[in-house]
Amino acid sequence: MAITPIKTLVENAKADIRTLSQEEAAEMVAAGEALFVDIRDPRELARDGRIEGAFHAPRGMLEFWIAPDSPYHKEELATDKTLILYCASAWRSALSVKALQDMGVENIAEMEGGFGAWKKRGAPIVTE
């Protein structure tokens, strides 16, 4: 049995999820309609910085932090706002949005290009 290539998994996920442009995502957050959720590893945040105000939910804990019946549930993620997930390059975020949609989360999207594209275009970041 062959393992499905990761690019195929990401492409399949992106076909089923909502992807917002960087500008649209930032506007939604600024308007109070959305919350940025940074799913990168803590070492990435320390090394590369982060988007101010983003909630950090490491990829490995995301489903546990979202699920209301989980002992690890985070109230910050139980919101009517659209959760806009991002990682470094929008691969992990695509898979994560698909996984959360499969759990029944409806107010969910990813940000096109991820943090790498955010930083490259000169959008504001916070560093430690």
Side-chain angles (χ1 to χ4, degrees), residues 23-46:
E23 295 78 12
E24 185 179 7
E27 287 170 9
M28 288 177 68
V29 170
E33 301 167 0
L35 173 67
F36 276 133
V37 180
D38 190 330
I39 64 166
R40 295 176 300 149
D41 182 274
R43 292 168 293 213
E44 291 175 278
L45 274 71

Side-chain angles (χ1 to χ4, degrees), residues 25-73:
E27 287 170 9
M28 288 177 68
V29 170
E33 301 167 0
L35 173 67
F36 276 133
V37 180
D38 190 330
I39 64 166
R40 295 176 300 149
D41 182 274
R43 292 168 293 213
E44 291 175 278
L45 274 71
R47 181 186 67 220
D48 301 325
R50 59 184 175 78
I51 297 173
E52 188 169 10
F55 183 80
H56 182 234
R59 172 64 189 104
M61 293 302 293
L62 194 55
E63 291 87 348
F64 297 100
W65 286 12
I66 286 279
D69 65 333
S70 167
Y72 303 105
H73 177 70

Side-chain angles (χ1 to χ4, degrees), residues 42-128:
R43 292 168 293 213
E44 291 175 278
L45 274 71
R47 181 186 67 220
D48 301 325
R50 59 184 175 78
I51 297 173
E52 188 169 10
F55 183 80
H56 182 234
R59 172 64 189 104
M61 293 302 293
L62 194 55
E63 291 87 348
F64 297 100
W65 286 12
I66 286 279
D69 65 333
S70 167
Y72 303 105
H73 177 70
K74 299 288 186 192
E75 280 299 318
E76 295 89 341
L77 298 175
T79 178
D80 290 336
K81 293 180 181 181
T82 298
L83 302 175
I84 303 174
L85 276 53
Y86 69 88
C87 60
S89 61
W91 285 30
R92 287 173 285 178
S93 60
L95 297 177
S96 299
V97 169
K98 177 69 171 116
L100 295 182
Q101 275 185 189
D102 290 349
M103 287 176 67
V105 178
E106 295 176 355
N107 57 331
I108 189 87
E110 69 155 355
M111 181 175 68
E112 184 177 41
F115 184 77
W118 180 274
K119 191 172 180 178
K120 185 176 181 179
R121 71 182 181 88
I125 63 167
V126 176
T127 55
E128 299 302 319

